[in-house]
Amino acid sequence: MSTKDITHEGVDHKSVSSSSSPQLNEEQALVKKNRGPSYFNVIFSGFALLSDGYQSGVISFVNLFLGKIYGDAIFTSELKSRLSYSMFVGAIVGQVGFGLVIDRVGRKIGLVSTTFLVILGAALCAASSGTSPTGLIWMMIISRGILGVGVGGEYPCSSVSAGESADEVAPGKRGFLFILVTNFVIDLGYVISAIVPVILLAIFKDNLEPVWRLCCGLGVLPPLSVLYFRLKMADSASYKKGALKKSVPYKLVIKRYWFRILLSSGLWFIYDFISYPSGVFSSVIIDSVASGESTIQVVAWNILLFAFYLPGSLAGAFSVDRFGRRFTLTAGLLAMGVVGMILGGVYELISKNCLPMFIIMYGLYLSLAELGPGNCMGLNAMELFPTAVRGTCYGIAAAVGKVGATVGTLAFVPMQEAMGGYRGPFLVGSGIAIFAGVISYFYLPDIGPEGLVEEDKAFREYLIAEGYDV
């Protein structure tokens, strides 16, 4: 081959490379442009979940303040429990109802509707009044129920939309991104719910009326901050491709996914049964062991306690993609169970003699709960089902979880009384956590990076095989 031929070939090769560069750049630009709505969906789907963490956490302090204002004669243990679990009852309705809505109508309409309900419920709660203190508390209970419908609807709407869009934003890191914009945001809401009362107590001192009202009312800020952006959102590409908006074959869905629904629902029930009462009654527990300390000091201890949620959630977020969902969930449940057993066993000793050590042990217990089940329950419920019925199945699992939260909240005081103090709920919860860890290890499927696409394909093939016209 001559030098001229070589040069000619080199020129041709260079020419081809340079001519393909603009085309390559255009394709890259198109991919980035197409990812824009997905980034948008991930961020603004998850952020309003801050309300769930905030509202679930702040009621602990509101209970404390109302108890100091009205006393046990008016603000009885029965009213305290009803105020605590009213949001959970509303959440059950919201989770099931909006799970169906986002599968049949669309992800966006569910997100916008739940945002309005959360704003309405939080505002009504803050403005509660009545002809008597008991009437005021009952208005709060009803308002918290309305709030719960919105907060419950946020679970399938936000989590499913964020999870579906996460694959388009960061392929292979769906678990990390999902947790970061869902459970981590919820945990951040818990931390903020402990900081806000301290600031308000520093401002209003012993005037607790404006403190509890502002604690409830400030819960409108997270949903208000995302309302405009949610109105501009679009449904995820996965939903547009895989939705079945009419004639959904629910019998075939149950036939194929009954065990996964049962497993995800049962594990979520157990987790919420253990974890929600631990958060709802935390200020009451600390108040009982922090003898002689002021209200603001008791609330300040809760900031440290709730801060333990965040490292646990972050550690789990890094673990789920690296070590797998099943390992992370199982390890978290077993470790939580062991720490809880120790805490229950030495409760009287450390609560009376070393309050900081008690807070650290209590915080570690909550942190491990977030590392495993707190992160993985929503992730599993989102990944175990196909796009066409993901919202419905997720909503069912989350609703059963909230039933667990309600039952756990109602059972907390009886467990405490039957087992000689607050050590009882820790011991019972820890034993159940260890049992759940064993169940998850042997029965939970481990979903990989391509799991959503594979499940959609398998579901479509299953429907065709069953004679359903896709």
Side-chain angles (χ1 to χ4, degrees), residues 446-462:
D446 217 351
I447 307 298
E450 300 299 322
L452 301 191
V453 176
E454 291 170 357
E455 193 58 47
D456 280 352
K457 182 180 178 183
F459 181 60
R460 183 182 176 85
E461 291 173 353
Y462 163 74

Side-chain angles (χ1 to χ4, degrees), residues 96-129:
V96 175
F98 281 101
L100 288 166
V101 167
I102 62 173
D103 281 342
R104 301 298 295 272
V105 183
R107 310 308 197 211
K108 177 180 176 178
I109 192 169
L111 287 165
V112 173
S113 300
T114 56
T115 306
F116 278 113
L117 283 170
V118 172
I119 293 169
L120 176 64
L124 286 174
C125 189
S128 293
S129 63

